Amino acid sequence: MIELYNFFVEPFTYPFMQRALVMGLTIGIVCAFLSCFLVLKGWALMGDAISHAVLPGIILSTLINMPIIIGAFIAGFITTILIAYIKSSTRLKEDSVVGIVFSFFFALGLFLFAFIETQLHLTHILFGNILGVDADNMLKDIIILFCVFLLLLVKSKDLILFCFDSIHLKMLGKSTRLYHYFLLLVLCLVIVISIQAVGILFVVALLIIPGMFGFIIVKRFEQMVFLSIIFSVMTIILGILLSFHLDVATAPLIVVFQSIGILIALLCKKERYRERSK
């Protein structure tokens, strides 16, 4: 019993671990919910693009003494507008446009980081620092993410129609363009908030893998959301706990567990198909 207590409970007696757990679970729940819409809409690469494209905004915001969150959000918003403009004015497919734009912005961010002196650490930007979350910033971020979650919940029926049947949404007299940009703006906001804790490179995984896990296992959207959130919560708790004991980076460990979960889900689904085919 003492060993179990020391392994599971004792780490969370430290305030920095408590903050990491609360912030991690909040990010995980919101990202899992949002990931269900992204997976159904086929926007997995869009999250990758925006997460990489905010780097120039982060660097430039420190240069002009602007809050990092505002600079990152502006950069992400410009990215979404640019992707939409190039896609509508050329014959290029969306995945090609997204690849071009996020590569350019990410390279620009690395270029600016090399020439502009800031107090930022590139490793914290890329990989996050969830164990070093500040209490004041955490409260502000949790409030924003909670509002985003409620907004997605209220608009979930319309967003499901937008992902599955945009023509039906038009017939109801609602603008598909409006929901297109609404989902992009929500995605951008969630990425900007999450980057401070899990970093640019790993927020993409949190926005894709939970939704994919739910999509593989179940067929109904409500079940998909529930399963995705449970999966995200479990892997985040496990990742934070083991990162404390193993003294390794938290975000990569969380993504490793989520990736293992996807592989297990795929193997289970394959085995299920084999049993049905017999």
Side-chain angles (χ1 to χ4, degrees):
M1 288 295 293
I2 296 176
E3 290 182 0
L4 287 175
Y5 176 85
N6 290 335
F7 186 84
F8 289 103
V9 180
E10 193 265 339
F12 296 114
T13 59
Y14 298 100
F16 76 92
M17 286 292 289
Q18 295 170 6
R19 291 194 296 269
L21 181 64
V22 173
M23 192 65 193
L25 291 179
T26 305
I27 291 173
I29 290 170
V30 176
C31 284
F33 191 16
L34 181 56
S35 73
C36 294
F37 296 109
L38 298 181
V39 169
L40 293 176
K41 189 62 180 173
W43 276 11
L45 194 58
M46 187 66 74
D48 193 14
I50 296 175
S51 65
H52 284 74
V54 300
L55 184 57
I58 293 174
I59 305 301
L60 291 175
S61 63
T62 60
L63 183 65
I64 59 176
N65 294 321
M66 178 190 293
I68 290 176
I69 186 173
I70 296 176
F73 184 80
I74 292 172
F77 181 72
I78 292 173
T79 302
T80 60
I81 298 298
L82 188 59
I83 289 172
Y85 173 76
I86 296 174
K87 184 177 178 293
S88 62
S89 58
T90 65
R91 292 186 297 173
L92 293 172
K93 292 184 178 180
E94 188 172 45
D95 59 343
S96 301
V97 176
V98 169
I100 293 169
V101 172
F102 95 69
S103 298
F104 166 74
F105 274 94
F106 189 59
L108 177 63
L110 293 174
F111 175 81
L112 292 173
F113 186 84
F115 285 93
I116 296 176
E117 292 186 5
T118 69
Q119 295 181 344
L120 297 173
H121 296 281
L122 187 59
T123 53
H124 287 174
I125 298 173
L126 295 179
F127 306 114
N129 185 26
I130 196 169
L131 298 182
V133 172
D134 179 72
D136 294 332
N137 289 330
M138 183 188 76
L139 180 61
K140 176 191 65 179
D141 293 343
I142 287 174
I143 291 172
I144 294 173
L145 289 172
F146 179 73
C147 292
V148 168
F149 184 85
L150 289 180
L151 196 57
L152 287 173
L153 195 62
V154 170
K155 292 293 182 181
S156 59
K157 290 185 178 180
D158 289 338
L159 287 172
I160 292 170
L161 277 179
F162 172 69
C163 295
F164 276 112
D165 191 359
S166 57
I167 295 175
H168 188 194
L169 190 65
K170 279 185 177 181
M171 291 175 64
L172 293 175
K174 298 180 180 181
S175 171
T176 55
R177 184 181 293 271
L178 179 64
Y179 281 97
H180 177 91
Y181 284 108
F182 168 76
L183 195 56
L184 283 177
L185 285 173
V186 168
L187 174 61
C188 184
L189 183 59
V190 170
I191 287 172
V192 169
I193 297 296
S194 304
I195 277 175
Q196 300 175 65
V198 295
I200 288 174
L201 298 180
F202 296 105
V203 69
V204 184
L206 298 182
L207 285 166
I208 298 173
I209 297 178
M212 287 178 60
F213 182 84
F215 183 78
I216 291 169
I217 300 296
V218 296
K219 294 182 178 180
R220 293 179 59 86
F221 181 78
E222 295 81 4
Q223 295 173 345
M224 178 182 173
V225 170
F226 177 77
L227 194 60
S228 299
I229 290 176
I230 294 298
F231 173 72
S232 183
V233 166
M234 289 178 62
T235 52
I236 285 171
I237 292 174
L238 190 60
I240 292 175
L241 189 63
L242 287 184
S243 69
F244 175 85
H245 289 293
L246 300 176
D247 193 22
V248 296
T250 308
L253 194 57
I254 291 171
V255 176
V256 166
F257 286 131
Q258 292 195 347
S259 301
I260 292 172
I262 282 287
L263 290 175
I264 293 172
L266 288 171
L267 290 173
C268 291
K269 187 174 183 180
K270 189 176 181 180
E271 189 64 28
R272 204 182 307 161
Y273 279 136
R274 283 181 179 176
E275 291 178 358
R276 288 178 182 176
S277 61
K278 289 181 180 179

